[in-house]
Amino acid sequence: MPFPLSSRTPPGPRRRTLLAAAAGTLALAGCSAAESSGDTAGGSRPSAADRARARAARDSTALAARYTAAIAAHPGLEKDLAPLRAEVVGHARAFGVGAAGSSASPAVPSPGGTTGPVSPSVSGSATASASASASASASASASASASAGASPDVAAQPQDALAELASAELALADERTRALVDLPGEMARLLASVAAAGAAHAFLLTEAAR
């Protein structure tokens, strides 16, 4: 039986504000992901920002795969999970997955195993991410491909599946918040913005799972 997620999610301005805050990270991603790898030594080693970007791309791609698996296992949740998944896909692209100029960038899987279309705002973020170094892009692509190829286990009950997604979002947001203190300004701001979006997602998912 489909789980009526919408009725359990806080309605009105509070929910719209959280979703708007999450969506706003894409605009910041568009102007922040273009940070160059200025501290690359001899052009052969990625900078701290590039390494962080590669890891963030991998993590967001893996999280998108978890959303995809949850939607496939519980189709009744698609209406409410799809917007959150779209935000996570946007984060992955902002960090360099699928960016123009990447030679082997993977597509983030959509429900059903196909690669879904990218919204104009996400495409803009992807284009702005094209200045990431080749070594970082290759690393992000390889890691994201492995993550996307996995089939995350999904809880049998919709409420439990929502709780698992909430835990994954919150854990990743906390990890990114801790990591950003060691990063240069633009990358730190991007990571902080995406971490804030993840925390908002976790709140919405937790409320929906109650």
Side-chain angles (χ1 to χ4, degrees):
M1 178 181 294
F3 179 64
L5 175 58
S6 297
S7 63
R8 295 174 178 270
T9 305
R14 188 180 190 187
R15 183 173 188 270
R16 288 197 298 270
T17 299
L18 284 169
L19 288 173
T25 62
L26 293 182
L28 179 59
C31 63
S32 299
E35 179 176 285
S36 64
S37 51
D39 59 340
T40 301
S44 60
R45 296 183 60 188
S47 67
D50 287 337
R51 291 193 300 271
R53 184 180 295 110
R55 180 172 182 175
R58 177 200 69 197
D59 290 342
S60 288
T61 302
L63 183 58
R66 296 191 66 159
Y67 273 97
T68 299
I71 292 171
H74 303 289
L77 300 181
E78 181 174 6
K79 180 179 178 181
D80 292 275
L81 289 186
L84 302 184
R85 180 190 174 279
E87 293 293 340
V88 174
V89 171
H91 299 160
R93 293 191 183 279
F95 286 125
V97 174
S102 296
S103 58
S105 298
V108 182
S110 297
T114 60
T115 54
V118 181
S119 68
S121 61
V122 174
S123 297
S125 297
T127 302
S129 302
S131 61
S133 69
S135 56
S137 296
S139 175
S141 298
S143 298
S145 294
S147 299
S151 298
D153 292 331
V154 179
Q157 296 301 316
Q159 300 97 315
D160 295 334
L162 291 169
E164 288 178 349
L165 283 172
S167 295
E169 284 273 21
L170 189 57
L172 185 54
D174 288 344
E175 179 182 329
R176 285 170 168 171
T177 299
R178 291 192 298 269
L180 64 86
V181 298
D182 297 321
L183 296 174
E186 290 301 313
M187 186 61 195
R189 283 190 287 273
L190 173 59
L191 204 61
S193 183
V194 175
H201 291 179
F203 173 83
L204 292 172
L205 291 164
T206 299
E207 290 296 307
R210 291 178 179 174

